[in-house]
Amino acid sequence: MNTAVAPLLRVDALTKSFAEVQVLKGISFDLRKGETLALLGSSGSGKSTCLRCLNFLEKPGGGSVTLDGERIGQKHDRRGALRWMSDTELAPQRAEMAMVFQGFNLWPHLSVRDNVALGPIQAGRMPRAEAHALAKAMLDKVHLGHKADAYPERLSGGQQQRVAIARALAQRPKVILFDEPTSALDPELVGEVLGVIKELAEEGRSMILVTHEISFAREVADRVIFMDGGHIIEQGPPAEVIGRSQAARTRAFLRQTGGAGEGQA
Ligand code: ADP
Ligand code: MG
């Protein structure tokens, strides 16, 4: 395989059901190294389930996820049959796909620096002093180095989300998955978080971003995927999918979110 052109992440025919309800109906897409992919779609279309299946926070019903040539969550046993990995086996793979959620989930009893350093320390990947230095560097990256000793409750929601992004970066992931990272924020705090995400995109991080910030997706994403009812309806460059979508479902969604008409500008 020529790894120079192989996608970093390959998602093939991913399915997932909860009880009788099929929520993902065969999702396939690639993420190339350095690419930012925006995942759009109305509420309930399966975006969060898709992200959670990528790193096996949810076990997919079928299909495969391959990161850097390595099958996620499943491996061949000695007789060559595929079997599910244990959580212990999964942990290092999960760390390669860091998640940033809508809620920041910082530990209230830990300083900002300790929140960011915790992952690498717990993973046994580095001594405490080294993890603290890494945490400080990642906090500088999200412009919060001066808050390293503060506790989360003293920070605004936008600052807390930036700490959560620093925590994700400290895992040194190959891919960062964002699930509506600004949806829980007051409007005036959205910009500072989007600003950090944009900087990460510009420095060539590989990212998948679920968002309702359509104009941001259009500006920052290399490619856009539009999901509806557990299917991918469209994927392509933002100017095509957001700017002049041919699909009725996409156009209806863009109208609802105020993203329609941007293509005419
Ligand atoms: P989105 O993120 O696009 O809003 P989700 O992936 O959260 O969509 O949900 C897709 C569908 O799957 C919804 O109908 C939701 O109710 C259902 N669903 C999600 N998680 C679960 C779960 N743990 N158990 C049962 N149904 C779920
Ligand atoms: Mg969701």
Side-chain angles (χ1 to χ4, degrees), residues 104-124:
F104 334 116
N105 304 321
L106 302 176
W107 293 109
H109 62 289
L110 295 180
S111 72
V112 159
R113 186 200 321 268
D114 285 334
N115 265 282
V116 176
L118 191 63
I121 292 172
Q122 283 189 334

Side-chain angles (χ1 to χ4, degrees), residues 47-49 102 179-180 210:
K47 306 178 299 295
S48 295
T49 305
Q102 188 174 319
D179 194 356
E180 301 200 31
V210 174

Side-chain angles (χ1 to χ4, degrees), residues 11-16 24-29 60-64:
V11 181
D12 189 38
L14 203 61
T15 59
K16 175 70 185 174
L24 298 181
K25 297 171 182 165
I27 299 288
S28 301
F29 65 90
S64 65

